[in-house]
């Protein structure tokens, strides 16, 4: 089978990067997976077809689909239709499976086919905290379950009797346990969950056939939690209520009980949600991608453009830094939702015995399972300043650690490495004390362990070293504590950073998404606490429902919603330290949504976002309008309030700065004309702004500056948000061309032993004697071309190679925009692979750190066999904002010479 490649899975359901990979050393080449690791689902494409009237040879067909299929058959294309989309005005097309890459090429060139897009795969949403509440007196319950309602002023809107009645919300997720008493206890027109559909079936994993049915029951839990955030009915044992618990819900299930979902299913669900007349569609899913071109983003965008509200999670990739926004949340008209940390985090206390000391709070929602017994302490080091504690295997003199609670200092290597070493000596429970990095969620693998604060850890170790009889116990009940989150009200550390690669204002707004108590399936325990932008997104959908209920569910109100939420949001600081700047809008968007203000404001400011773009495309003049819809004249004062400037690239490196992205106080300056506006009731006036980018910043760090222009009248404050870049995206490096990650320079051609090819070699494609290509992108690209060229090509690449190094492609799936042949004046022998609108990589070896293309067969991407000969591979990546026809806008790399010798 000439299998097409799998474009590496770009869409995840909010994975959360908790690993501390920031301190990675070079990753051993042996870490790479044995299979190609490319950006999409193999062999499957989504085509969009022309209107029937525009299809030549349409003959007597009544549907555009049939005219196109007939044309495909006439061209001997073998294909299987797995989905059809027939939403006139939004999307008409189909998902096709082809087994031969030649057919994919033919499809692209068939009359009537308007576009062909790859199918992305979305991993299921990962959740930070996951705790099942045990009873009404469960001390893990947030002290004030509705603190999140207070944060977004939802409580005030509820107090007015607005609970979102009459609004229909479609939730695309894992389904909903509609039998849950707090979610209406049934499904159908008379229930809260009025309907929906299961597009996939329980056994669906994203890698097998979906088996749809009409019952969107949840067997995973995520969707039920999401639904409760919108809809939990008051009067439940926990005193919680949904943000818009008067709205009705449709459940569209796109995930099975485990695994991923593919985009063909998601498009189907989006179109169904639209056809069913939902006023709001909400998607707590996405995959870091940087672009808005994916099929699901295109369809989300078009649905929103008809005057519906589409809320989509911004993503949980905050630790990977900037330019890593999620799709489909990047859809231009969607509301991409960031997460704000709740004000309190439910944690547990350990009790200290043998010496007098207060309870020690450890970072876990539920108790460490130790049966509550008193455990003696064992410290892996008696020094409280050791930097690499337990990073190496423990000495042979170490006793059996099973009777102890082991204390380890944070630092130097991963938590999992430390815990592996300690548990290798029999440990059953361990505490890691902070070294000043912060008391926050960390990745501990499956180990029975937790993080504690530095002063607590130092105390324990000092007592232990002094020979004191210190023991700890972990009460299994009654020791829950609400730790005032030092980050409460700030951005959740996991919330993804934009902007998108086309410099859209992503995310748009933020909502509470950390430590949220909501419903979970009855058979999982009924109530639980979860965190993620998955939780912020339904909060925003509920908020939008309250707005529509208050102002009328018209397309005009829906289309104005994002501006309204942005201009009435509350600014979010970057820290709790006085004098620190507001958080970069690349993570916070316009701020924390305030639904009461959005509903009641009589000042309408529009638009809410001003995009200054990069230096090369700088739009220094901007304008917005202020309208006084109140009953009294108002005078508005306009002032500039900068936020922190995000230094998005590491110094002296092409690598993105990891999150939390460092901020500079350097700010743009703005001339505001006029800076005082007097408006009679019912009048409006435009304001003109002239921006000058910040001067005291290093452009090589690709600083993204942002901030607000405040519009103040008495106690009423609104703002417009702006975003710009010092530097030109066309100069921003795309390839990782360093040896930093693997210890040898990238891109690289690997030989049959997965070593960089060191001497000129011929490949036989037998017995594993195949070449592979390995690369990393430090920035997304609109076009990545991998071509075979003549060994003697006269071409000067922009990037450094090793002296010897090369490779060959094999197969991949996505058709190329420049089919068959040379472009940009470079003569190629043939195309090996080509990808459009792909993401940069991150630095997490467990996640998305590189792409690997195994050339398993000596064929071009179109399936034609490559003739024996001596070749090189030419990599070209178009820089963001570059012109695809200009060779100078590509970064290029030429492999060493290698032979194909069959
Ligand atoms: C947990 O420990 C902290 C710190 O010692 C203390 O302030 C808090 O009151 C304790 N909470 C409970 C429920 O024991
Ligand atoms: C640490 O202190 C304890 C208690 O005094 C002692 O038993 C142990 O040997 C010390 N460990 C080292 C490595 O010095
Ligand atoms: C920024 O400029 C680039 C290059 O002209 C353009 O493609 C992009 O759409 C612009 N972004 C916005 C949000 O206007
Ligand atoms: C970057 O390189 C310059 C020049 O070599 C050097 O002065 C500077 O200290 C470096 N900065 C960092 C953060 O390494
Ligand atoms: C590869 O094959 C070519 C053509 O047969 C031959 O000239 C060359 O010597 C071979 N190179 C190696 C390293 O075997
Ligand atoms: C496949 O691509 C190669 C190289 O560009 C070309 O020579 C060949 O004609 C193509 N085959 C088909 C069937 O298009």
């Amino acid at each position: 089978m000439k299998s097409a490649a799998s474009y590496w899975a770009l869409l995840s359901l909010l994975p959360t990067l908790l690993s501390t990979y920031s301190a990675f050393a070079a990753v051993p080449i042996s870490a790479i997976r044995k299979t190609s690791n490319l950006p999409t689902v193999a062999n499957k494409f989504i085509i969009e077809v022309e209107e029937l009237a525009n299809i030549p040879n349409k003959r007597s067909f009544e549907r555009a689909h049939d005219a196109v299929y007939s044309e495909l058959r006439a061209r001997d294309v073998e294909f299987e239709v797995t989905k059809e989309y027939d939403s006139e005005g939004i999307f008409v097309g189909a998902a096709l499976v082809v087994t031969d890459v030649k057919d994919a090429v033919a499809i692209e060139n068939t009359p009537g086919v308007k576009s062909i897009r790859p199918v992305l795969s979305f991993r299921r949403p990962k959740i930070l905290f996951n705790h099942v509440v045990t009873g009404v007196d469960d001390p893990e319950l947030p002290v004030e379950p509705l603190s999140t309602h207070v944060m977004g002023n939802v409580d005030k809107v509820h107090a007015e009797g607005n609970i979102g009645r009459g609004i229909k919300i479609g939730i695309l997720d894992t389904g909903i346990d509609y039998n849950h008493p707090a979610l209406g206890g049934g499904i159908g027109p008379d229930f809260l969950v009025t309907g929906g559909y299961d597009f996939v079936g329980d056994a669906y994993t994203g890698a097998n056939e979906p088996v749809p049915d009409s019952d969107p029951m949840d067997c995973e839990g995520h969707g039920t939690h999401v639904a409760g955030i919108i809809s939990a009915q008051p009067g439940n044992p926990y005193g919680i209520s949904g943000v818009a618990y008067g709205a009705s819900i449709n459940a569209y299930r796109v995930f099975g009980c485990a695994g991923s979902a593919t985009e063909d299913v998601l498009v189907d669900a989006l179109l169904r949600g639209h056809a069913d007349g939902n006023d709001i569609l909400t998607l707590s899913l996405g995959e870091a991608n940087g672009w808005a071109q994916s099929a699901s983003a295109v369809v989300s965008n078009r649905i929103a453009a008809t005057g519906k509200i589409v809320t989509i999670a911004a993503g949980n990739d905050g630790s990977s830094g900037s330019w890593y926004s999620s799709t489909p949340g990047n859809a231009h008209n969607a509301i991409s939702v960031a997460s704000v940390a709740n004000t309190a985090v439910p944690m547990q206390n350990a009790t200290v015995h043998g010496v007098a000391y207060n309870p020690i709070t450890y970072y876990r929602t539920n108790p460490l399972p130790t049966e509550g017994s008193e455990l003696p302490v064992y410290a892996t080091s008696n020094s409280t300043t050791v930097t690499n504690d337990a990073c190496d295997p423990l000495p042979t003199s170490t006793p059996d650690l099973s009777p102890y609670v082991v204390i380890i200092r944070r630092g130097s290597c991963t938590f999992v490495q430390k815990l592996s070493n300690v548990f290798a000596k029999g440990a059953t429970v361990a505490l890691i004390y902070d070294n000043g990095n912060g008391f926050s969620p960390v990745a501990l693998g499956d180990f029975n362990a937790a993080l504690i604060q530095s002063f607590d850890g130092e105390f324990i170790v000092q007592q232990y070293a002094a020979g004191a009889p210190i023991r700890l116990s972990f009460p299994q009940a009654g020791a829950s504590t609400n730790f005032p989150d030092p980050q409460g009200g700030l951005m959740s550390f996991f919330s993804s950073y934009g902007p998108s690669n086309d410099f859209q204002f992503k995310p748009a707004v933020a909502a509470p998404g950390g430590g949220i108590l909501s419903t979970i399936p009855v058979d999982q325990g009924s109530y639980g606490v979860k965190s993620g932008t998955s939780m912020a997104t339904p909060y925003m959908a509920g908020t939008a429902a309250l707005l529509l209920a208050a102002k009328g569910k018209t397309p005009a109100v829906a289309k104005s919603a994002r501006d309204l939420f942005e201009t009435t949001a509350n600014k979010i600081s970057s820290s709790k330290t006085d004098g620190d700047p507001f958080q970069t809008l690349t993570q916070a968007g316009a701020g924390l949504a305030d639904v009461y203000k959005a509903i009641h404001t009589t000042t309408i400011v529009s638009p809410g976002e001003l995009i200054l773009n990069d230096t090369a495309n700088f739009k220094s003049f901007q304008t917005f309008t202020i309208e006084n819809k109140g009953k009294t004249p108002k005078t508005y004062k306009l002032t500039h309030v900068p936020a922190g400037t995000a230094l998005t690239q590491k110094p002296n490196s092409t690598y993105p700065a990891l999150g939390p992205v460092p901020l500079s106080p350097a700010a743009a300056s703005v001339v505001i004309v006029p800076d005082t506006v007097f408006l009679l009731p019912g009048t409006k006036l435009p304001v003109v702004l002239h921006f000058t980018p910040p001067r005291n910043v290093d452009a090589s760090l690709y600083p993204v500056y942002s901030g607000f222009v405040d519009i103040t009248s008495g106690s009423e404050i609104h703002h417009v948000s702006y975003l710009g870049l010092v530097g030109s995206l066309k100069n921003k490096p795309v390839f990782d061309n360093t040896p930093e990650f693997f210890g040898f320079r990238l891109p690289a051609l690997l030989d049959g032993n997965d070593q960089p090819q060191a001497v000129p070699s011929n490949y036989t494609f037998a017995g594993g004697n195949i070449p592979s290509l390995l690369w990393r992108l430090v920035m997304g690209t609109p076009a990545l071309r991998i071509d075979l060229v003549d060994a003697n090509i006269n071409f000067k690449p922009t990037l450094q190679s090793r002296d010897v190094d090369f490779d060959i492609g094999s197969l991949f799936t996505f058709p190329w925009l420049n089919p068959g042949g040379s472009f940009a004046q470079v003569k190629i022998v043939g195309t090996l692979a080509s990808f459009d609108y792909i993401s940069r990589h991150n630095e997490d070896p467990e996640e998305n750190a590189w792409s690997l293309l195994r050339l398993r067969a000596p064929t071009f991407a179109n399936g034609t066999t490559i003739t024996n000969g001596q070749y090189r591979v030419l990599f070209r990546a178009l820089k963001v904002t570059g012109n695809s026809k200009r060779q100078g806008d590509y970064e290029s790399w030429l492999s060493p010479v290698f032979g194909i010798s069959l």
Side-chain angles (χ1 to χ4, degrees), residues 332 501-505 611-614 617 619 729 881:
H332 294 177
N501 293 338
D502 51 2
F503 224 90
Q504 296 289 326
F505 190 78
I611 306 298
L612 314 186
N613 222 324
D614 66 358
N617 302 286
K619 294 201 172 58
L729 284 175
T881 72

Side-chain angles (χ1 to χ4, degrees), residues 590-653:
L592 179 61
D594 180 337
V595 64
Y596 185 82
K597 194 165 152 192
I599 288 173
H600 291 286
T601 181
T602 55
T603 298
I604 304 297
V605 176
S606 163
E609 315 168 344
L610 305 174
I611 306 298
L612 314 186
N613 222 324
D614 66 358
T615 316
N617 302 286
F618 186 49
K619 294 201 172 58
S620 57
F621 283 100
Q622 298 282 340
T623 176
F624 66 90
T625 305
I626 309 171
E627 181 174 8
N628 179 4
K629 289 194 142 180
K631 294 195 166 61
T632 55
K634 280 184 189 166
T635 300
Y636 300 94
K637 291 288 296 173
L638 278 64
T639 49
H640 175 216
V641 181
T645 291
L647 305 175
T648 67
Q649 200 163 292
K650 285 179 187 164
N652 294 351
S653 167

Side-chain angles (χ1 to χ4, degrees), residues 382 464-465 467:
N382 285 353
Y464 168 77

Side-chain angles (χ1 to χ4, degrees), residues 85-251:
Y85 310 116
D86 203 357
S87 179
E88 221 184 303
I90 305 278
F91 197 87
V92 178
L96 305 182
V97 170
V98 295
T99 49
D100 191 321
V101 277
K102 279 190 223 119
D103 291 333
V105 182
I107 291 170
E108 189 179 28
N109 297 324
T110 297
V113 174
K114 199 169 174 180
S115 70
I116 176 164
R117 294 185 175 87
V119 172
L120 305 187
S121 163
F122 295 77
R123 285 163 286 166
R124 62 198 308 95
K126 263 200 208 150
I127 295 300
L128 281 178
F129 296 115
N130 205 356
H131 170 63
V132 178
V133 175
T134 53
V136 282
D137 53 355
D138 184 330
E140 290 174 29
L141 286 175
V143 170
E144 164 53 273
L146 303 181
S147 63
T148 52
H149 286 192
V150 175
M151 289 172 77
N153 270 334
V154 166
D155 55 334
K156 285 193 196 158
V157 176
H158 285 182
E160 297 177 330
N162 180 355
I163 54 171
R165 273 200 194 91
I167 308 303
K168 286 170 77 169
I169 304 178
I171 300 176
L172 280 68
D173 212 292
T174 63
I176 297 176
D177 180 1
Y178 46 74
N179 289 329
H180 197 296
L183 295 175
I187 186 169
D190 299 332
F191 290 96
L192 165 67
V193 180
T194 53
Y197 194 69
D198 175 4
F199 291 86
V200 293
D202 286 3
Y204 177 69
T205 61
N208 54 7
E209 280 300 301
V211 183
D213 62 62
S214 58
D215 181 5
M217 177 52 80
D218 183 10
C219 53
E220 204 276 347
H222 186 269
T224 301
H225 199 268
V226 163
I229 291 169
I230 298 173
S231 298
Q233 300 297 297
N236 59 69
Y238 300 98
I240 56 170
S241 64
V243 172
Y245 62 87
S248 65
I249 297 296
N250 281 302

